[in-house]
């Protein structure tokens, strides 16, 4: 897929929780097709401390408006600067990068996201829905406040929630949710993105049930385009670049 | 239109702007962003005698105006390069120079010897300065006898343009430059990365799997510029300058300090179009200053 | 409240935060901004045997995340220091350590010998690493025999705490550290500035009157951290870490890498209150991590 | 004089010419007394490229509003970033720094400014006026557009103008203005700030007439508070720091 570099215009910077915000960005030309799981490398022009670009999954795409959005959690200097962007300011993106989630072999799929790791699942649930598949989305968080924009997923499929403190949905970790006990065999594929322990737990259940499982990795990156070899992950076929051969990997191929 | 062409030994470059090894893949990674054929040359990522997996992840850390890397020469080896990669890149209408690395003198010789017949590989760059491998690498570049030995050995099996890439992690870089010049280097690249380290204070752990790594980017520009200036006064062979170059002004500073050509490394990550912008900027500078031939700028610093 | 006190040889510091030589005047310049007495110590600007005018203006150039300077040890000489400056600063309730420089071994000895009797000067820091003087300076710090010789000579005339400040412009800093340890240094400061250069491309001239100068600031932090880590493994005497420290996280990284205390240099120019902010930040870090004594952090990097 | 470090609030960023703007800055506490010729060191927080503080003369002070202003010309990365500051943003200042212009021995004084070098002359003319002196202000520029806010000076004294192209005032350089030919002996002191050749020319005339002359230097600075010794100027008494012992120097003391 051809990659682009464009100056996008911020049309909205929507603070959706204590430390998360969604940037809506308008493309100056016609948006190319963006696949679920792909990401963009953002130049943080308004920070004196962030030198390299920062990678973020593409959260949603609106081809009609020529806009894409990013769901970002403030964790450091770059994301802090991005959180301060105002409407009308420009942001330089290199995109769309990486491979993408595959279409499930069967009809039903389970999409699991932990915290801000949910970001790539919105576009995935949308695309699966468009292809006539049934995406069930399961979001996990420490508490209610970590369950980001849940209403957006119900447009495309069922929504399940777990929280550590039980303030929303079922109490416990995602893999303790009743879908795992009751419906797991219905799914032809499982997708996960979030903290490492969560992805490992999901991968383990999937393996035990013999269900294909894809996860999206967030390795630190310098270039995002396969030029630096900094972002590698060990696979059964040797080192692979997360930015080109990932960020989506079938868990069978990874050495977890 | 100023004449931007420069000569590195037998190589006539369209212009002094090249991409640095390990930061530009094999050029292909940048095809979507720029016309690679417009560059003076591209330096491929390191090529070794055997397949190397490189170091464990994490391999990079951001630092103020720079980054550390510890990739560790990951590549599939020279045979794979010749069979699989060379056919994909030989169409480029620019100089393709392979960065040659290894842990032993014999390894360097093997790679160079195998590359010698490849028509479109018009030169090699001996990397005797990689700080990210346990054996060989930087050790070759930090003593005159070692640097001389590997240069001489490779010279004996390679008859096209041979550039030697120097390590900045030394007390006296001019001495090393003279040592490799004496043993037959046609040019020197100055500089490779500086050995650095990054720590995650919260976790009390090094950020890189290798603890230390190579520092690159704008942070090192003043050091690189000083070394290019020193080396270009010490040797007669052309000097290729690099280290932190991010825009045309930086590039011109290196030319003024004595570099015949320059390489752009880390800046490619921040802006994949930066090489072309630098090229355009040099052109604009020459026009504005009435410079007809870019060679007029080389070493033209008025001290 | 964590115990922040640390020991550099015979000196008990209230806390590990000191100001670096040449960046903090004599402390007085910062009285309007902070309570200097709160610091673990202050390193005065260089003191030489005779008056020195320093280098010609321009003496500084900004660089990415850093700066170059070529002040060149401007000071009125040791006698003036003793007569005029010492009385103005001896009231400080913190360790006042004089940075001692010169062009000859005899010069170093003269300064040290004259400072020895001053009650409130509890130590000296031998600057064998200044890149900005034609004679002496850095030359003393870039070879083991030279570094050893000057250390030994000064040791013979000075019996309080003697710190030796090392140059980063060397192939192997650990060797130099061991050489000065062997000759009686009580501690080493790591690092002084890296030799760099800046050019004004439009004017085609060097920016500094001296062409090259010393690079400092956040840009050099990864290099400084690596050297502190290497040196602290090589010697038994305490290491004082500096180079680019701008906030408490930076300071803690240096402690983890093996520094017993740290110095803050260029960052004082950007924020004259930074030393106190670093001190407060170390305190906060210790509280948050349940660290009762800051010594627990020294060299506590888990590799 | 005691120095301070404060976060000021931008109350206005007034673009007054193609490449010049005036920042009006409100102090969070009571403004200390600021003398004419003193300057501030500004932290350029919104630039990824300006690392050190930037020095600027204090253009004007309004003790009632608790505001001071800076007249800034965009010449590089730091001033470019400052030109983009918006109302309500904060700016960190270390101030007031340096010595100041001295009060003239007699009644009349000539204040000469070239281009943006005029900045310290506004506060000087105001203070001289307050002290019952008669400041004549002479501004030079390449053309009309370089004569910045001339109306501000006429409140305190006479205004004279020269431009290289004759588009405003007399044609020629400042020292070619008729005040030099006709009135020079009336002045008990001359002050100048601007490009080096201009200051040298003024100093030369002053010396020939035996009139005391003070100029304000703009040496590059790292600290602004006498700690780094980077900003030195050669004087007949040896090297002096421009930031503490200057920026104002009597031209007799300088080696011009
Ligand atoms: C392919 C990919 C997709 C991503 N998608 C999203 C997304 O949709 N939304 C989102 O909020 N974040 C996403 N991330 C993570 C995001 O890139 C980092 O959070 C961001 O780069 C941090 O920048 P910073 O300057 O704020 O943090 P820094 O100041 O650089 O670091 C702050 C802290 O964050 C940690 N950190 C930095 N980078 C990463 C990383 N890549 N992964 C994990 N920890 C890191 C650092 O170790 C440090 O502890 C993605 C990462 C990748 C590789
Ligand atoms: C005491 C003092 C008072 C000053 N008052 C004013 C004022 O009132 N208004 C105003 O607009 N400027 C004033 N200046 C100059 C101002 O500090 C510089 O223009 C500014 O620092 C440039 O910053 P920059 O990042 O935009 O330029 P940079 O990107 O750092 O440099 C751009 C160009 O400007 C040149 N330059 C940088 N600093 C200086 C300097 N100090 N003097 C001359 N050239 C310089 C550089 O050599 C370079 O060519 C004053 C300087 C001093 C020392
Ligand atoms: C990720 C990365 C990988 C690199 N790999 C190599 C390499 O394989 N061989 C080599 O000689 N230099 C390598 N380098 C060094 C660069 O070619 C260059 O010398 C250095 O980065 C300084 O230039 P810069 O500041 O423009 O990046 C690498 C640098 C980076 C950042
Ligand atoms: C303007 C300036 C003057 C300096 N003068 C001295 C000096 O006189 N003696 C000395 O040992 N180091 C001197 N140094 C070096 C600093 O003490 C310190 O080693 C170096 O700047 C690295 O630390 P930093 O990055 O925190 O500034 C000077 C540094 C600067 C920036
Ligand atoms: S981030 Fe550079 S290769 Fe993946
Ligand atoms: S700018 Fe530091 S002493 Fe003047």
């Amino acid at each position: 897929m051809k990659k682009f570099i464009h100056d996008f215009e911020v049309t909205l910077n929507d603070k959706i929780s204590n430390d998360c915000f969604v940037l809506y960005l308008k493309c100056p030309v016609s948006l190319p097709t963006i696949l679920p799981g792909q990401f963009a490398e953002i130049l943080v022009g308004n920070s004196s401390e962030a030198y390299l670009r920062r990678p973020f999954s593409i959260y949603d795409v609106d081809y009609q408006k020529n806009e894409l959005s990013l769901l970002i959690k403030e964790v450091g200097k770059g994301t802090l600067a991005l959180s301060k962007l105002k409407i009308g300011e420009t942001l330089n993106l290199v995109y769309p990068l990486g491979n993408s989630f595959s279409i499930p072999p069967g009809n039903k799929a389970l999409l699991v996201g932990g915290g801000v790791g949910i970001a790539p699942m919105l576009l995935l649930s949308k695309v699966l829905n468009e292809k006539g598949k049934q995406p069930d989305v399961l979001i996990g968080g420490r508490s209610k406040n970590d369950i980001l924009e849940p209403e957006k997923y119900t447009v495309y499929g069922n929504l399940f929630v777990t929280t550590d403190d039980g303030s929303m949905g079922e109490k416990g970790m995602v893999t303790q949710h009743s879908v795992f006990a009751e419906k797991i065999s219905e799914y032809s594929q499982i997708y996960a993105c979030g903290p490492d322990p969560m992805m490992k737990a999901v991968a383990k259940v999937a393996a035990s049930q013999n269900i294909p499982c894809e996860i999206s990795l967030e390795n630190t990156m310098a270039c995002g385009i396969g030029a630096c070899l900094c972002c590698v992950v060990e696979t059964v076929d040797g080192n692979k670049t997360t930015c080109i051969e990932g960020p989506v990997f079938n868990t069978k191929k990874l050495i977890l | 239109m100023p004449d931007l062409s420069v000569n590195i030994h037998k190589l006539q470059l369209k212009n002094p702007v090249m991409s640095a090894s390990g930061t530009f893949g094999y050029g292909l990674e940048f095809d979507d962003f720029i016309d690679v054929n417009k560059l003076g040359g591209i330096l491929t990522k390191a090529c070794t005698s055997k397949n190397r997996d490189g170091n464990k992840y994490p391999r990079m850390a951001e630092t103020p105006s720079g980054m550390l890397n510890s990739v560790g020469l990951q590549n599939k080896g020279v045979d794979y390069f010749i069979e699989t990669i060379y056919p994909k890149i030989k169409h480029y209408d620019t100089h393709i120079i392979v960065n040659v690395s290894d842990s032993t003198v014999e390894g360097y010789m093997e790679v160079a010897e195998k590359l010698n017949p490849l028509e479109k590989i018009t030169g090699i760059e001996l990397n005797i300065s990689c700080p990210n491998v346990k054996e060989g690498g930087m050790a070759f570049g930090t003593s005159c006898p070692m640097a001389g030995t590997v240069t001489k050995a490779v010279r004996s099996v390679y008859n096209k343009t041979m550039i030697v890439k120097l390590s900045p992690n030394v007390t006296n870089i001019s001495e090393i430059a003279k040592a490799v010049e004496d043993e037959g280097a046609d040019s020197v690249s100055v500089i490779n990365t500086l050995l650095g380290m990054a720590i995650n204070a919260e976790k009390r752990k090094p950020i890189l799997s290798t603890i230390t790594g190579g520092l690159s980017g704008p942070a090192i520009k003043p050091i690189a510029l000083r070394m290019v200036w020193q080396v270009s006064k010490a040797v007669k062979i052309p000097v290729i300058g690099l280290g932190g170059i991010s825009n045309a002004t930086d590039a011109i500073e290196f030319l003024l300090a004595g570099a015949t050509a320059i390489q752009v490394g880390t800046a490619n990550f921040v802006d994949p179009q930066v090489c072309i912008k630098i090229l355009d900027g040099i052109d604009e500078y020459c026009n504005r200053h009435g410079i007809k031939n870019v060679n007029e700028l080389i070493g033209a610093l008025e001290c």
Side-chain angles (χ1 to χ4, degrees), chain A, chain B:
Chain A
M1 275 177 73
K2 189 167 156 60
K3 305 175 193 83
F4 297 89
I5 179 166
H6 287 138
D7 277 330
F8 282 64
E9 186 189 325
V10 178
T11 59
L12 183 65
N13 182 347
D14 190 13
K15 191 172 161 73
I16 58 166
S17 81
N18 206 18
D19 54 5
C20 292
F21 55 99
V22 180
L23 286 179
Y24 293 84
L25 303 169
K26 199 178 179 69
C27 186
V29 299
S30 225
L31 266 182
T33 302
I34 292 168
L35 304 176
Q38 288 195 302
F39 67 98
E41 279 271 15
I42 315 282
L43 189 68
V44 190
N46 63 333
S47 161
S48 60
E49 296 175 297
Y51 168 63
L52 296 167
R53 285 175 185 262
R54 300 294 195 260
F56 298 99
S57 302
I58 302 207
Y59 184 43
D60 204 354
V61 187
D62 186 332
Y63 293 103
Q64 225 126 42
K65 283 193 181 169
N66 234 8
E67 279 189 4
L68 58 77
S69 60
L70 307 170
L71 168 60
I72 301 179
K73 182 172 174 173
E74 200 189 300
V75 299
K77 40 197 185 292
T79 47
L80 172 69
L82 292 175
S83 76
K84 292 183 178 156
L85 280 172
K86 298 204 184 76
I87 293 176
E89 296 193 87
T90 57
L91 206 58
N92 187 272
L93 271 69
V94 172
Y95 75 107
L97 304 176
N99 64 357
S100 64
F101 292 112
S102 69
I103 302 304
N107 209 32
K108 292 192 71 176
L110 180 63
L111 285 55
V112 188
V116 71
I118 194 67
M121 297 304 167
L122 181 60
L123 188 56
L124 177 58
S125 63
K126 188 187 201 170
V127 168
L128 292 186
N129 174 276
E130 280 167 9
K131 299 220 185 270
K133 308 274 176 178
Q134 289 177 31
D136 282 3
V137 177
L138 169 58
I139 317 184
R142 267 161 311 176
S143 84
K144 204 179 151 176
N145 301 326
D146 293 336
I147 311 302
L148 306 166
E149 305 201 300
E151 69 287 356
K152 286 201 172 164
Y153 303 89
T154 51
V155 179
Y156 310 117
N158 298 315
L159 175 71
F160 307 105
V161 168
T162 61
T163 49
D164 294 354
D165 65 0
S167 56
M168 189 175 170
E170 297 183 14
K171 189 175 166 149
M173 294 177 303
V174 284
T175 43
Q176 294 173 321
H177 192 277
S178 50
V179 287
F180 276 96
E182 294 163 15
K183 305 180 34 165
I184 191 73
S185 58
E186 295 174 19
Y187 299 114
S188 64
Q189 188 139 312
I190 300 180
Y191 306 89
C193 183
D196 273 358
M198 185 212 90
M199 292 200 287
K200 278 187 190 159
V202 173
K204 210 171 147 186
V205 179
S208 73
Q209 301 280 328
N210 240 324
I211 303 170
C213 178
E214 291 183 350
I215 64 174
S216 176
L217 298 181
E218 296 199 347
N219 284 12
T220 48
M221 297 180 172
C223 75
I225 58 172
C228 74
L229 302 186
C230 286
C231 63
V232 291
V233 61
E234 258 183 279
T235 74
V236 292
D237 309 317
N239 279 336
K240 298 276 177 197
T241 52
T242 303
C243 67
I244 291 283
E245 299 163 288
V248 176
F249 290 94
N250 188 308
T251 52
K252 266 200 211 144
K253 295 284 182 182
L254 295 176
I255 298 160
L256 288 173
Chain B
M1 274 273 293
D3 180 356
L4 295 186
S5 67
V6 296
N7 292 319
I8 298 293
H9 182 238
K10 279 183 267 177
L11 308 183
Q12 190 180 7
L13 312 184
K14 286 175 202 169
N15 59 67
V17 181
M18 302 197 272
S19 60
S21 176
T23 66
F24 205 71
Y26 294 105
L28 304 164
E29 291 80 355
F30 289 78
D31 279 342
D32 283 347
F33 303 106
I34 58 169
D35 180 357
V36 171
N37 299 307
K38 285 194 175 168
L39 300 182
I42 57 178
L43 283 289
T44 70
K45 64 177 71 166
C47 181
T48 54
S49 58
K50 302 275 166 320
N51 173 75
R52 290 176 90 109
D53 292 333
N55 295 315
K56 278 204 184 309
Y57 177 86
R59 292 179 172 184
M60 81 102 183
E62 191 182 57
T63 67
S65 298
M67 64 174 282
L68 290 165
N69 90 80
S70 60
V71 171
L73 306 180
Q74 178 180 333
N75 79 105
K76 296 213 161 86
V78 63
D79 295 334
Y80 182 89
F81 174 82
I82 293 171
E83 283 153 36
T84 311
I85 297 167
Y86 179 63
K88 287 189 202 149
I89 61 173
K90 66 170 198 240
H91 68 276
Y92 281 131
D93 174 28
T94 185
H95 287 286
I96 310 172
I97 299 167
V98 176
N99 182 265
V100 173
S101 292
D102 218 90
S103 324
T104 62
V105 174
E106 295 69 36
Y108 279 100
M109 291 170 73
E110 181 185 337
V111 179
E113 202 163 4
K114 285 182 171 167
L115 293 173
N116 206 27
L118 302 190
E119 194 195 330
K120 289 300 297 291
I121 305 301
T122 48
I124 56 172
E125 182 183 60
L126 283 196
N127 175 8
I128 57 167
S129 43
C130 179
N132 297 321
V133 285
K134 284 219 182 84
E135 284 157 29
M138 199 172 91
F140 285 113
T142 53
S143 94
C144 290
M146 297 265 294
T149 303
V150 60
T151 305
K152 186 176 182 179
V154 175
R155 178 78 293 173
S156 72
V157 296
Y158 191 78
N159 58 29
K160 297 199 249 175
T161 299
M162 179 176 75
I163 304 158
V164 179
K165 187 164 178 182
L166 305 184
S167 172
N169 302 291
V170 295
T171 310
N172 188 334
I173 193 165
S174 303
E175 277 179 8
I176 312 270
K178 277 192 276 189
V180 303
E181 178 181 40
D182 285 348
E183 296 299 352
D186 300 318
S187 172
V188 281
S189 295
V190 178
I191 59 175
N192 209 315
T193 53
L194 281 133
L195 195 62
M197 179 171 174
I199 290 175
N200 183 325
E202 290 300 315
K203 297 190 181 152
R204 298 192 215 174
K205 288 198 172 130
I207 294 180
L208 300 175
S209 69
T210 46
I211 307 177
T212 60
L215 182 65
S216 63
I220 69 169
K221 198 193 81 174
I223 302 170
L225 201 55
R226 180 262 296 182
M227 291 186 163
V228 165
W229 182 70
Q230 290 179 324
V231 170
S232 71
K233 289 194 304 175
V235 298
K236 291 188 198 71
I237 50 177
V239 176
I240 301 171
L242 76 158
I245 296 177
S246 307
N247 53 49
T249 309
D250 293 341
I252 289 158
E253 289 166 21
F254 277 81
L255 298 179
L256 292 169
T260 299
I262 59 102
Q263 294 178 18
V264 183
T266 308
N268 289 302
F269 305 158
V270 177
D271 180 359
Q273 299 176 319
V274 72
C275 283
I276 298 297
K277 290 180 186 163
I278 290 173
L279 184 51
D280 292 345
I282 295 176
D283 194 75
E284 183 272 328
Y285 179 96
C286 288
N287 281 326
R288 190 155 44 83
H289 287 263
I291 289 160
K292 301 234 152 49
N293 187 317
V294 75
N295 284 283
E296 291 170 36
L297 288 176
I298 298 167
L301 190 72
E302 298 163 18
C303 297

